[in-house]
């Protein structure tokens, strides 16, 4: 992607962000309000179901659910980004990276707002804070890179095989319910199948980047950083390679 | 000697036919099991041509002859399956294949100028500096801060023209977009086009309007069924094209 394409992508993303809230009464305030409402409802429902203290469970749930929601939004948004960008790719010599990247930028900015909203809630419900939360901006990086990589792969695949969308939705659902986002990873006995599966689940390590500093008050471990970074690098490499491979073929499938 | 802006060597582009069925698993399996070749339509077939700096080239041909595909190859929107395309990278190529590319219906005219201008390679400050001139050309004073979805089709087209002609292209690729707007505005557009080509802008016009092409081009290409069948003086090519009613027989 050249510099001109990057500049256009940024401007397009900003215009999409502006348009999203243009005709709403609360405008950009929805960026804060929407995650607040969503997470409040979820924490109440799950703390009631799990019979846990609302404050404890809310802190645990929010810590990994916020980055997960961001990941899910990027992957779902990127999936049809190239196909819906035919207005651009069939009329201008634009980079196919621009369209998924713009969606990633919009979701990343919204993720920032969501995080601010969550921090606001946690300030009210969490008893005490530790300095480990300073690592959170760094924790967001592997999530963002992995999301972009997976999003680029899905965008390419969807252009050639439109059956990909329901598969992506199911895969996201499967990943969500099998990852330690709604439940703590130590829920299962160490020798159990579930515990062994969690060891191989990349989201276990990605989730730990947020859960440990926010909920447990500890630093993420070296394994968390290593696995998350490898997953991110692999996803991004595959994503970029897939779009590059498809670049000259895209026009014929739009 | 004038430098070459576009160089095409044996360029071929083909599209798969039956595109709707071709996406299904049934079609995929059936063609594989029966070892049927994929049905394709050759939109361009072994086209070779060279366009020099400052040339004004017209492209004529019947519907489906491959004119728009040729323009998209020149604009680097389509990468051909076979052949070689060389485009001078130092030129700002502005493809005007459809009016208002990059326009978002909910953005205002001014916001769309900034966005589409960026797409054409201009910085927002540069577009802002030209905005008054664009508005004046487009004759939409008072509406520039309204969403373009509320514009009439004429206003929309005028704004798109105003922007496209103000980005100072080195190369202009135009695909049959002069049929919109009232005749007075079209005359204004044509005057702007004449000024651009007189200023040495390399231009390629795809049109069915032979009179327009003869008046504004110094070279005419005739495409038929994906092939470049005639390339030469506009009067000669237009004469042959009219005489054979657009169909070239081998």
């Amino acid at each position: 992607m050249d510099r001109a394409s990057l500049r256009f992508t940024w401007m397009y993303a900003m215009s999409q962000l502006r348009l999203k809230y243009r005709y709403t009464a609360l405008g950009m305030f929805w960026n804060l309000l929407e995650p607040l409402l969503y997470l409040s409802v979820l924490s109440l429902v799950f703390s009631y179901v799990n019979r846990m203290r609302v404050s404890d469970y809310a802190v645990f749930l929010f810590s990994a659910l916020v980055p997960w929601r961001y990941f899910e939004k990027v992957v779902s948004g990127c999936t049809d980004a190239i196909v819906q960008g035919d207005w651009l790719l069939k009329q201008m010599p634009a980079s196919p990276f621009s369209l998924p990247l713009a969606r990633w930028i919009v979701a990343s900015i919204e993720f920032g707002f969501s995080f601010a909203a969550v921090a606001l809630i946690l300030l009210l419900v969490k008893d005490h804070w530790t300095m480990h939360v300073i690592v959170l901006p760094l924790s967001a990086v592997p999530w963002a890179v992995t999301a972009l990589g997976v999003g680029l792969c899905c965008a390419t695949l969807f252009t050639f095989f439109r059956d990909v969308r329901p598969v992506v939705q199911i895969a996201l659902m499967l990943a969500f319910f099998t990852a330690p986002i709604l439940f703590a990873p130590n829920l299962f006995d160490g020798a159990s199948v579930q515990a062994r599966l969690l060891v191989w689940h990349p989201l276990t390590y990605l989730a730990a980047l947020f859960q440990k500093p926010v909920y447990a008050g500890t630093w993420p471990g070296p394994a968390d950083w290593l696995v998350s970074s490898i997953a991110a690098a692999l996803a991004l490499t595959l994503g970029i390679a897939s779009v590059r491979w498809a670049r000259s073929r895209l026009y014929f499938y739009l | 000697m004038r430098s070459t802006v576009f160089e095409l060597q044996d360029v071929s582009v083909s599209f798969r036919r039956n595109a709707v069925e071709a996406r299904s698993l049934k079609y995929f399996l059936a063609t594989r099991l029966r070892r049927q070749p994929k049905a394709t339509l050759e939109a361009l077939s072994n086209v070779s041509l060279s366009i020099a700096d400052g040339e004004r080239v017209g492209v004529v041909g019947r519907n489906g002859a491959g004119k728009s595909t040729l323009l998209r190859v020149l604009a680097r929107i389509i990468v051909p399956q076979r052949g070689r395309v060389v485009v001078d990278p130092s030129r700002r190529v502005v493809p005007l294949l459809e009016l208002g590319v990059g326009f978002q219906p909910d953005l205002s005219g001014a916001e769309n100028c900034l966005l589409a201008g960026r797409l054409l390679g201009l910085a927002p400050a540069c577009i802002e500096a030209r905005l008054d001139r664009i508005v004046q050309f487009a004759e939409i004073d008072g509406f520039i801060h309204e969403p373009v979805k509320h514009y009439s089709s004429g206003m929309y087209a005028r704004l798109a023209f105003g922007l496209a002609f103000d980005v100072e292209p080195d190369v202009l690729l135009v695909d049959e977009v002069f049929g919109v707007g009232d005749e007075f505005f079209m005359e204004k557009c044509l005057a702007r086009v004449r000024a651009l080509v007189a200023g040495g802008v390399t231009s390629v016009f795809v049109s069915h309007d032979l009179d327009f092409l003869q008046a504004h081009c110094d070279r005419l290409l005739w495409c038929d069924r994906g092939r470049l069948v005639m390339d030469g003086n506009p009067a000669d090519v237009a004469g042959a094209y009219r005489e054979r009613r657009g169909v070239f027989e081998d």
Side-chain angles (χ1 to χ4, degrees):
Chain A
M1 245 183 128
D2 59 10
R3 197 172 284 184
S5 297
L6 281 173
R7 286 180 180 143
F8 166 73
T9 304
W10 176 257
M11 203 163 183
Y12 177 60
M14 291 303 106
S15 71
Q16 294 306 298
L17 196 63
R18 264 199 309 274
L19 280 180
K20 196 168 174 182
Y21 301 103
R22 173 155 286 180
Y23 298 112
T24 58
L26 297 178
M28 294 291 272
F29 187 61
W30 271 113
N31 267 324
L32 283 172
L33 199 59
E34 194 258 337
L36 270 179
L37 292 173
Y38 177 81
L39 295 171
S40 305
V41 170
L42 266 189
S43 62
L44 277 171
V45 169
F46 279 103
S47 58
Y48 179 73
V49 171
N50 292 352
R51 295 172 188 278
M52 287 174 71
R53 279 207 317 138
V54 175
S55 56
D56 271 355
Y57 191 66
V59 174
F60 172 76
L61 179 66
F62 290 4
S63 58
L65 192 60
V66 174
W68 167 259
R69 289 233 312 148
Y70 161 62
F71 179 86
E72 196 179 29
K73 194 180 268 188
V74 170
V75 174
S76 302
C78 285
T79 299
D80 59 2
I82 290 178
V83 170
Q84 287 194 355
D86 61 345
W87 57 270
L88 179 65
L89 298 175
K90 293 186 96 165
Q91 307 296 343
M92 292 294 287
S95 167
F97 283 101
S98 287
L99 301 149
L101 197 57
R103 297 209 176 168
W104 177 78
I105 292 170
V106 171
S108 300
I109 291 170
E110 288 179 334
F111 172 54
F113 278 104
S114 298
F115 211 80
V118 169
L120 208 68
I121 290 186
L122 296 185
L123 272 176
L124 300 173
V125 299
K126 193 168 159 65
D127 296 333
H128 64 279
W129 285 91
T130 63
M131 64 169 297
H132 301 98
V133 290
I134 61 166
V135 80
L136 291 179
L138 201 60
S139 302
V141 175
W143 276 95
V145 176
T146 311
L148 178 61
V150 175
L152 288 173
C153 287
C154 291
T156 309
L157 279 172
F158 184 66
T159 310
F160 298 103
F161 310 103
R162 302 294 159 92
D163 314 65
V164 163
R165 189 201 282 281
V167 177
V168 169
Q169 295 305 324
I170 296 292
L172 284 171
M173 202 162 73
L174 185 72
F176 176 66
F177 284 111
T178 53
I181 294 170
L182 294 176
F183 55 86
N186 57 7
L187 183 73
F188 305 106
D189 175 35
S192 66
V193 178
Q194 293 94 326
R196 270 181 285 165
L197 282 175
L198 282 182
V199 172
W200 291 98
H201 201 314
L203 282 175
T204 304
Y205 304 94
L206 281 161
L209 298 181
F210 276 78
Q211 285 166 338
K212 285 183 179 171
V214 174
Y215 181 67
T218 59
W219 298 112
D224 301 326
W225 288 114
L226 187 68
V227 176
S228 302
S229 304
I230 290 172
L234 202 65
L236 189 63
T237 307
L238 275 174
I240 291 173
S242 70
V243 177
R244 280 195 176 159
W245 172 82
R247 193 179 199 135
S248 60
R249 299 168 173 87
L250 290 175
Y251 184 91
F252 303 98
Y253 288 82
L254 293 176
Chain B
M1 191 180 153
R2 291 191 293 187
S3 61
T4 304
V5 179
F6 297 107
E7 178 83 50
L8 270 62
Q9 287 174 3
D10 294 322
V11 166
S12 295
V13 175
S14 54
F15 293 92
R16 275 202 290 166
R17 297 184 69 177
N18 306 316
V20 175
E21 292 82 356
R23 298 284 171 87
S24 73
L25 187 63
K26 192 174 105 182
Y27 179 89
F28 176 78
L29 290 175
T31 49
R32 283 293 162 101
L33 291 173
R34 291 180 198 156
R35 294 187 179 171
Q36 281 179 341
K38 285 173 185 164
T40 56
L41 171 77
E42 197 144 58
L44 285 183
S45 179
N46 298 316
V47 171
S48 297
L49 72 99
S50 175
I51 296 175
D53 184 27
E55 269 195 299
R56 293 168 288 162
V57 180
V59 185
V60 71
R62 290 169 69 107
N63 290 327
K67 309 182 294 294
S68 298
T69 304
L70 175 63
L71 217 54
R72 281 172 168 79
V73 168
L74 295 176
R76 288 168 300 161
I77 295 168
I78 291 180
V79 181
Q81 284 100 344
R82 290 196 307 277
R84 202 166 81 96
V85 180
V86 181
V87 181
D88 183 346
S90 64
R91 311 294 171 137
R92 185 205 296 272
V93 179
V94 173
L96 200 54
L97 309 182
E98 194 176 276
L99 284 175
V101 174
F103 278 18
Q104 307 291 305
D106 283 307
L107 290 178
S108 70
E111 288 170 325
N112 270 311
C113 282
L114 295 177
L115 183 64
R118 191 41 117 184
L119 191 57
L120 295 169
L122 288 183
C126 200
I127 288 288
E128 272 162 12
R130 296 160 190 229
L131 198 57
D132 285 343
R133 204 166 58 198
I134 294 170
V135 170
Q136 203 178 2
F137 180 81
E139 302 165 17
I140 53 164
D141 200 14
F143 292 93
I144 193 67
H145 296 297
E146 303 228 350
V148 295
K149 68 179 178 184
H150 297 314
Y151 285 17
S152 68
S153 55
M155 287 164 75
Y156 188 93
R158 293 203 300 266
L159 181 64
F161 269 123
L163 177 68
F165 290 146
D166 217 295
V167 295
E168 293 169 5
D170 297 318
V171 181
L172 191 62
L173 306 174
V174 185
D175 190 359
E176 200 75 80
V177 290
F178 288 112
V180 294
D182 56 64
E183 67 174 295
F184 308 108
F185 183 75
M186 271 307 104
E187 189 44 50
K188 212 159 111 174
C189 284
L190 290 175
R192 184 67 73 90
V193 170
R194 277 192 287 271
L196 280 173
V197 294
V201 169
T202 309
S203 40
V204 181
F205 297 101
V206 163
S207 180
H208 290 291
D209 186 345
L210 275 176
D211 295 331
F212 168 83
L213 294 177
Q214 275 188 269
H216 294 91
C217 300
D218 47 27
R219 179 180 167 193
L220 196 56
L221 311 177
W222 173 8
C223 287
D224 187 40
R225 286 166 286 178
R227 294 166 305 157
L228 187 57
V229 295
M230 205 168 171
D231 176 355
N233 177 285
D236 296 342
V237 177
Y241 181 76
R242 280 197 173 106
E243 192 182 325
R244 300 186 192 195
R245 302 176 68 85
V247 180
F248 185 86
E249 299 295 340
D250 291 311

